[in-house]
Each structure stands twice: as C-alpha cells, then as structure tokens.
Amino acid sequence: MQINILLLMHNLSKKIFSFIKEQNLIHAKDRVIVGVSGGADSVALLHILANMEIKPVLIIAHVNHLLRGKESDDDELFVKEIANKYNLAFETIKADVSDIAKKRKLSLEETGREVRYEFFRQVAEKHNANKIALAHHMDDQAETVIMRLLRGSSGKGIEGMQPKSHNNLFIRPMLQVSKSEIKEYLEKNHYQWRDDSSNNSRKFLRNRIRHELIPILQSYNPNIIQQLCNTAELLGKDELLLDEMAKQVFISSKIDKEHVMLDIKKIRSEAEAIRYRVYKQAIMAMKGDLKKISFRHIKAIENLTLSEKPNSIINLYNNIQVKRCYSSLIFCLKPTSEENPQPMDIKGEGIYQLSDGRRLDIRLTEHIPDRLDSQQKAEFFIDGDSLPFPWELRYFRDGDRFNPSRMNGNKKIKDLFIDLKIPLSERKNIPLLLSENEIFFVVGLRLAEKARPKPSSKHIVSIKISND
C-alpha cells in the first residue's frame, strides 16, 4: 500500500496526533492492539496510527460476530488484507454473538461489546501489549450521552467515554473528531472501508438515536453533537475531582477479602454526592464492577446510613450484602447458607469445638479467683452443684431469656445483645449453654445468676474460651 504523503498534513491527522500527545495516550515503546472492524472509523484509526512519527508496535484485532453471513466473513478478509499490506500481526476470532447473547441473557449490542473487549484483552496478553486502541469518535460520544440520559444515569454515566480507562489499558485517540471528518479523511486519501448494513437497522437503540433523534435535535441546535461532547468532557472533569475526594474518604475504611467496613459517623459528615461515590467504591472493592447496580441500590444504602435503626440488612445484586451494625456500614458477600450451627451435648469435662472456630475447655477446678468479679472473659466459673451435667450447647433463638448475674428477674437475650451492640447478623451464631433446659451462660458474654459459684459450692466448673 502506498502511504499518501498528504496523510501527515491532513487536519484530522494533526488533530489526532495533538490529542494523543495532550492526553499522553501512546509512546514510542508501546505495544498497541488496534480494534479494527473494517468500518470507516477503525480503518481510519489504523491508517493514522500506522503513520505516526513515533512508531509503536501495532497488532490488529478483529472479531467476526457471525451476524451477517458472508458480509461478516468479507469484513474479516478485508481487515486481514490491510494487516498484510502494513505487515502487521493480525489476530481474529469467530464468535457466535447471537448464541452468546441468549446464554448471557443480554442484548446483541451489549454481548458484542463484551465479546470484543474480552478478545482484545486476550490478544493484549498474548502479545504483551500495554494499550488497546478503540475508534470511538465525537458522534459515538454524543450517542452514548443521549442513550444514558434516556435510560437514566448519574453524572458518571453522562460523562460518557474517556480518552483512556482508569488503568490506561483502553485508549480512544479519536474522541475529538467527528464522523464527517473521518469520512473526509478516508476519501481524500482514497482509503477503502466496509459499511456494516446492521448500522441502518432501527431495532438497535443506538441506531434510532443516530438516525432519528439526533437529526431532530440538530434542527434545534445544528452543533448539538459538539455541545453534548463538551458537556461530557466538563462532567468528566467534575467526576474526576469528586471521585478523588471520595477516595480520600474511602481509604480510611477497613478492607479485607471478605468485608469493607465504613464508619457511619464519618460517612454521615460527608456531602451526599461524596457518600454515593464511597458506596460505589465499596461495592467495587467487593464485586469488581458496578454492573447491575442502579440508583435504587445506592439510595437504599443511603437510607441504611441515615436510618435510626441500629441494625438492618439489604441485599444488592450478585450476592452483595450491606449491613448496618450500630456505628458501622459493612459491605460483604451474602452467606451461602443461613442455617444455624448444630447443637451438641456437653456430657462432662473435655474440649468442645464451636462453629466459629473457638474452643471450650471445660474442667472441674478448685482454683478460682479470690474475687469472682475480676474474672476475665477468657475464663468463666460455674456452680456445678446448681447446674449439673449433662449440658446442652445450642445457638440463640428469638425469644430466649435468662436471669443475668446480679440482676433480679429475667431478661431477653436479644436485649442483652442490643446493650452489648452485637450485630444482628452475628446473633444467630452466639452459643448458649443450658442445664435442664435452663440457659445459664451466653458464651463469652454473660453468666446467669444461678451459675455464679457460692462459698458453699463443692463442684466448680472452669470454662476457658480459646481461639486455637
């Protein structure tokens, strides 16, 4: 293929080269996957990148969606020919997008996008590439903004597509050029491209926006595409700042593989816009993305934060659970089983394993503290005369009551949990010890009055609680 000398002087090329430099998108040592469908946009992107003054390594990736029969196969051959003329590596895959869409229960558009991005990542890994270049332009951006407005979106959605993804893997060098500029560039340089007949189908929302809604909007404002792109760019800058502010709040949270814990008092002190972003960052930390998470979910979390109820739980999409536990907001995965741990018989002395990993070491003893009030939570002493073996160990049930040490009358164990600020989600796993069907020990928390040894007690039982 002869490289037209006008290419480097063409306004479109200058514009894109300037944008690449301004956004720090491509460097000489980069290895760049170029997604090429065969359409005007991606073909123009390939020609422009292939003729940059700096010379990154380019690899062409093409997905045959198998949606248009021979037309799809011809697109693949066309892209392969361009790769051969530029002497570039060419990777392709045939993907039955229609069948995949049915299995994933997604639209053809969404499935096609997922398949392309998955394949591009695979090609990048194979070729040790650090960039994936996509051919989105101003018209695509305007359509995306309108589409998200129609479906309902936050500022994050309306900001549209960014020049580069948060991890700098995906780049969009043509976001500041229009479709008409791209076609003018191709025609002036006598470059061929393929037209996708499905782009004219009105069954796709994006196509209806492109062919029906935008022309109507242009009758009100001929420059509507540029204005929508300007709006998206400005929102993008605002979102960047707000996300950074939210990040500073989020980094103070407690994070491990199973939980993200936010301090409710601190979260409440932040502006509402920051709180919403912190919730999203917590979900991202647990789920890896925000797919299927809607404004309804975020609002439910906000209500949980502002609620006067000390304990409550909501379930989000994909087994993500958010718990309000007194002063904490906890994001975690929903337990696979809600069943209570199994009860066991305590026939006498011995070591007994609890469901939470702790152990009870139960022994008869003659050595007790001079002052029983000073006993530590790791060891408790029981009046064996009043509470003979065998004992039963079971787990908390709604309605359970006992007579706490140094108190007159019975108390609901639920009220004890509330006093001690035991999270609602943990209560069903609190073990209880019973003798002759009477609860005498909320394990690790409180003894019943009847359990306290008396000076006359002949049989004292030591219960040591350990984590190993």
Side-chain angles (χ1 to χ4, degrees):
M1 174 178 289
Q2 294 294 318
I3 306 302
N4 195 320
I5 196 65
L6 291 175
L7 176 71
L8 297 179
M9 299 303 295
H10 193 278
N11 287 338
L12 183 79
S13 301
K14 290 180 180 179
K15 202 171 183 180
I16 292 175
F17 293 156
S18 176
F19 187 67
I20 287 172
K21 184 176 181 180
E22 173 192 324
Q23 297 293 328
N24 199 28
L25 299 183
I26 299 176
H27 304 95
K29 294 183 180 180
D30 285 339
R31 298 177 64 84
V32 183
I33 306 300
V34 187
V36 183
S37 66
D41 311 331
S42 58
V43 168
L45 175 63
L46 174 59
H47 286 307
I48 288 170
L49 296 185
N51 287 279
M52 292 180 68
E53 290 185 9
I54 60 173
K55 295 296 180 184
V57 175
L58 302 179
I59 300 98
I60 297 178
H62 173 84
V63 177
N64 184 337
H65 297 79
L66 300 176
L67 292 173
R68 294 173 288 116
K70 184 177 184 301
E71 188 178 329
S72 292
D73 294 336
D74 289 344
D75 289 347
E76 180 181 335
L77 290 173
F78 173 76
V79 177
K80 185 176 182 180
E81 287 176 3
I82 300 178
N84 290 338
K85 289 176 181 177
Y86 274 115
N87 197 27
L88 299 176
F90 175 69
E91 298 284 350
T92 187
I93 186 175
K94 286 180 170 63
D96 190 339
V97 170
S98 180
D99 184 59
I100 297 171
K102 291 176 185 176
K103 291 178 180 177
R104 298 186 183 183
K105 297 181 180 180
L106 298 173
S107 68
L108 284 176
E109 290 175 289
E110 192 172 359
T111 304
R113 182 182 182 279
E114 284 190 359
V115 168
R116 287 192 299 275
Y117 279 52
E118 289 165 6
F119 178 61
F120 293 161
R121 287 191 181 96
Q122 292 169 9
V123 175
E125 185 175 353
K126 176 180 176 180
H127 289 269
N128 197 28
N130 60 326
K131 301 285 175 64
I132 299 172
L134 305 174
H136 297 117
H137 48 73
M138 285 176 58
D139 298 59
D140 293 326
Q141 180 78 300
E143 292 161 12
T144 297
V145 171
I146 293 173
M147 187 182 300
R148 292 178 180 175
L149 279 169
L150 292 174
R151 289 174 172 170
S153 183
S154 63
K156 189 70 178 174
I158 300 170
E159 72 173 346
M161 298 173 285
Q162 296 302 300
K164 52 188 172 185
S165 59
H166 68 278
N167 59 2
N168 294 324
L169 178 62
F170 290 93
I171 59 173
R172 297 178 176 88
M174 300 207 299
L175 267 187
Q176 286 197 335
V177 300
S178 68
K179 181 75 170 184
S180 59
E181 289 178 288
I182 290 170
K183 286 202 170 180
E184 178 191 350
Y185 161 80
L186 290 170
E187 289 167 355
K188 182 170 285 190
N189 288 280
H190 307 293
Y191 291 133
Q192 300 298 309
W193 70 89
R194 300 274 300 171
D195 284 320
D196 184 341
S197 61
S198 66
N199 287 335
N200 296 316
S201 172
R202 297 302 199 269
K203 71 178 181 180
F204 300 118
L205 175 60
R206 183 177 288 274
N207 288 349
R208 295 201 301 276
I209 291 171
R210 179 182 303 156
H211 297 296
E212 298 172 4
L213 183 53
I214 286 182
I216 292 173
L217 294 175
Q218 285 173 326
S219 71
Y220 289 90
N221 180 355
N223 203 30
I224 189 64
I225 289 177
Q226 181 68 62
Q227 294 298 341
L228 287 169
C229 291
N230 291 346
T231 299
E233 183 178 351
L234 291 172
L235 277 172
K237 296 181 187 302
D238 291 345
E239 289 295 317
L240 200 62
L241 174 62
L242 289 168
D243 282 348
E244 183 57 34
M245 293 171 66
K247 183 180 178 181
Q248 295 307 311
V249 176
F250 182 69
I251 58 177
S252 66
S253 60
K254 296 178 181 178
I255 306 172
D256 58 36
K257 292 181 179 179
E258 297 181 350
H259 303 88
V260 173
M261 185 181 294
L262 306 177
D263 184 284
I264 287 181
K265 184 177 180 181
K266 183 169 184 179
I267 291 296
R268 279 182 168 183
S269 69
E270 299 294 336
E272 187 174 355
I274 299 299
R275 293 200 298 268
Y276 284 13
R277 285 164 173 79
V278 173
Y279 303 151
K280 290 179 181 179
Q281 291 182 13
I283 295 170
M284 281 285 291
M286 293 305 304
K287 184 173 176 287
D289 57 51
L290 293 173
K291 289 181 180 178
K292 306 297 183 180
I293 300 298
S294 67
F295 177 73
R296 175 177 59 84
H297 295 119
I298 301 302
K299 192 64 179 176
I301 300 171
E302 172 76 349
N303 292 338
L304 203 62
T305 300
L306 301 181
S307 172
E308 295 305 317
K309 289 184 178 180
N311 287 282
S312 193
I313 297 174
I314 58 174
N315 294 310
L316 305 183
Y317 179 79
N318 203 22
N319 292 326
I320 297 294
Q321 196 171 68
V322 186
K323 304 176 184 178
R324 168 72 184 271
C325 298
Y326 296 101
S327 61
S328 297
L329 195 65
I330 302 171
F331 294 73
C332 59
L333 294 176
K334 185 178 180 180
T336 55
S337 173
E338 298 290 342
E339 294 182 4
N340 288 338
Q342 293 298 309
M344 72 173 77
D345 293 327
I346 307 291
K347 296 181 179 179
E349 294 181 277
I351 296 175
Y352 299 86
Q353 189 75 44
L354 300 180
S355 63
D356 61 6
R358 293 183 298 168
R359 295 190 310 172
L360 299 184
D361 188 349
I362 299 176
R363 305 288 178 189
L364 291 172
T365 182
E366 297 179 355
H367 303 287
I368 62 174
D370 293 334
R371 295 182 59 195
L372 291 177
D373 291 344
S374 67
Q375 63 190 19
Q376 301 298 312
K377 284 190 175 182
E379 185 174 13
F380 294 79
F381 298 93
I382 307 296
D383 181 356
D385 295 339
S386 300
L387 300 164
F389 293 112
W391 295 343
E392 177 190 2
L393 185 145
R394 68 167 173 81
Y395 290 81
F396 169 68
R397 300 169 185 165
D398 289 335
D400 278 338
R401 290 174 172 269
F402 83 134
N403 175 211
S405 175
R406 301 190 179 283
M407 278 189 62
N408 293 322
N410 287 341
K411 182 183 182 76
K412 285 184 178 180
I413 292 178
K414 175 183 176 181
D415 292 337
L416 173 69
F417 291 157
I418 292 172
D419 294 343
L420 298 176
K421 298 190 182 306
I422 303 298
L424 185 65
S425 59
E426 296 178 13
R427 295 176 188 176
K428 293 290 185 182
N429 295 314
I430 301 291
L432 309 174
L433 281 175
L434 296 81
S435 176
E436 298 177 339
N437 294 319
E438 181 179 0
I439 298 171
F440 67 84
F441 187 22
V442 182
V443 175
L445 298 177
R446 190 67 58 85
L447 289 170
E449 176 63 24
K450 188 175 182 179
R452 295 179 66 237
K454 305 170 185 65
S456 60
S457 298
K458 295 180 179 179
H459 297 92
I460 307 296
V461 181
S462 162
I463 301 179
K464 291 182 181 180
I465 305 172
S466 62
N467 292 314
D468 52 12

